[in-house]
Every structure is written in C-alpha cells, then in structure tokens.
Amino acid sequence: MKNTSINLLWFVCSITLNALGNSFMIIANLGSSPWTAAGQNLASIVPFSIGTCIIILNFCSFILSYLMKTKFTLGMIIKSIALACVFGLFIDLCVYLHHIIYIPETLWVRCLYSLIGLNLIAVAISIYFQSSSVYLPSDYLIKAFGKRMKNYTVGTIICMSIPLSISILIILFQQHIIGLGISTILFVLGSGFLIDYYNRWIVINKVPQQNMHSA
C-alpha cells in the first residue's frame, strides 16, 4: 500500500513536470515536441485551447491504436483517456500561468526556456514510465507501431511522422509556422539521450508495466 501511494505521488509529479516542460517550450516559441506542436497548429484553426487539442489528438491516437489491434481493457481505456484530459488541462494551466508571470522576448531567454522544457519533459518521462502502468494514448500508439514494424525505433519514427505531418499540413494551409522549429529537432534527436541520462539518476520502485518508449 505504501509503495502504491509513493508511485502515485511520483506519477502525479511526472504528469505535472511533463505539462510544465511542454508549456516552457510553447512559450519559448522555438519549436515544441511533435504532439504538442500538432496541438498548437490545430488550436490555430479551431476554437479550442492547445490543451484541448492535445486531448483530441490523444483520443484519435487511441482510436488508431485500437484499429491496429492493440488490446485494451475498459479500465485501461477510462484511465488513459482521463490521463490525457488531465495532461491537456495541466498544459493549459501552465501556459496560462506563464502569460500571467512572464513571457520572454529576447532570444537567449527563449533558448533557456526551451532547454528547461526539454529537460523537464525528459525527467517527467523517466519518472512516468517507472511509476505508472497507465499511459497516454499517444504512448500506446507508439507501442502499436513498434509491434507492427517489429522495431520500436522504426515504429517511433513512423508514429512521430503523424503529428509532424498534421503540423506541416496546417502550416502550409496557413502559410505561418507554428510549433515547429529547432527545438522540435532537438526533442526528436535528443530526448532519448536525455531520458537515458535521467534514468541513471532517477530510480523508482516499479509497478508492473509494459516495456515501452515515449516520444
């Protein structure tokens, strides 16, 4: 019971840090993680917040995972969708707080914000996969592609091409770049390294979980 409570605390911490990290990258405006960038672009053409658009994208990810024959229990579906909703709302809250407190304008501060965001997300993912057996729908989609391709690296690349394609199509339609930038490239290329680095420093008593990687 004690270990379960501690894992729950770690899990809440990971979701909070993940949302905070994403908000730092959004505010820096130098590029966000692929799914967040897709949420930003979608929010630019529909009357919803970034967090709500991320929830919608996660729901679509769940449907796609199901169509790819990923097996879910009713409990997994409810918990994962609930997690996506909380995550999206946390992102909106963090972005709102940034707007109240401070929005950086100089390039070096924006770069610092972006680096802070990258590291917070990496720490969050490290904690997230060690403390939880419930994942975001987009993480289940990575697993589905990994199984289909029989290679998680290839599966992750294909999976990441979905939000990137959404962003690119909307950018071409609007002729205005939103969410994609140098930090998106750094996230795609460097997040795995950062996660591995933090995994060496952060060790949590794990609950039973599936072997997956997030991006």
Side-chain angles (χ1 to χ4, degrees):
M1 185 67 182
K2 183 179 178 181
N3 284 341
T4 301
S5 298
I6 292 174
N7 279 342
L8 179 60
L9 183 61
W10 277 112
F11 177 64
V12 172
C13 178
S14 73
I15 298 303
T16 304
L17 287 176
N18 200 341
L20 183 60
N22 274 284
S23 73
F24 266 95
M25 294 186 73
I26 291 170
I27 295 301
N29 196 28
L30 293 173
S32 302
S33 62
W35 285 107
T36 302
Q40 287 179 261
N41 278 282
L42 187 59
S44 70
I45 60 172
V46 298
F48 301 124
S49 67
I50 295 172
T52 301
C53 289
I54 289 173
I55 293 170
I56 293 170
L57 290 170
N58 270 281
F59 183 75
C60 293
S61 297
F62 215 117
I63 294 174
L64 185 54
S65 297
Y66 179 78
L67 293 175
M68 293 176 69
K69 310 299 182 183
T70 300
K71 294 181 179 179
F72 296 109
T73 64
L74 180 60
M76 288 171 64
I77 294 173
I78 294 173
K79 289 177 182 178
S80 186
I81 294 297
L83 176 59
C85 292
V86 171
F87 180 60
L89 292 174
F90 272 22
I91 287 180
D92 279 345
L93 175 61
C94 290
V95 170
Y96 173 73
L97 292 175
H98 277 293
H99 279 282
I100 291 177
I101 298 169
Y102 177 66
I103 300 293
E105 294 182 0
T106 56
L107 181 59
W108 76 269
V109 179
R110 290 166 59 202
C111 289
L112 178 61
Y113 263 51
S114 191
L115 288 174
I116 291 172
L118 282 168
N119 280 273
L120 285 176
I121 293 172
V123 170
I125 292 173
S126 175
I127 297 172
Y128 171 65
F129 281 114
Q130 292 188 64
S131 63
S132 176
S133 58
V134 179
Y135 305 115
L136 287 166
S138 56
D139 296 322
Y140 286 117
L141 186 59
I142 291 175
K143 179 188 177 186
F145 274 109
K147 281 192 170 182
R148 180 64 61 90
M149 299 295 110
K150 295 181 171 56
N151 184 305
Y152 272 96
T153 300
V154 175
T156 299
I157 292 171
I158 294 174
C159 186
M160 287 300 100
S161 70
I162 295 174
L164 290 174
S165 297
I166 292 172
S167 293
I168 291 169
L169 287 173
I170 295 175
I171 286 170
L172 291 175
F173 173 74
Q174 294 199 118
Q175 297 186 343
H176 177 63
I177 298 176
I178 300 173
L180 297 184
I182 185 64
S183 293
T184 307
I185 298 172
L186 289 175
F187 181 90
V188 172
L189 298 179
S191 60
F193 169 79
L194 287 174
I195 293 166
D196 285 340
Y197 173 78
Y198 286 115
N199 277 338
R200 292 196 292 269
W201 290 94
I202 303 171
V203 179
I204 300 170
N205 292 327
K206 299 180 182 180
V207 296
Q209 59 178 315
Q210 302 164 29
N211 184 22
M212 310 171 54
H213 297 285
S214 176

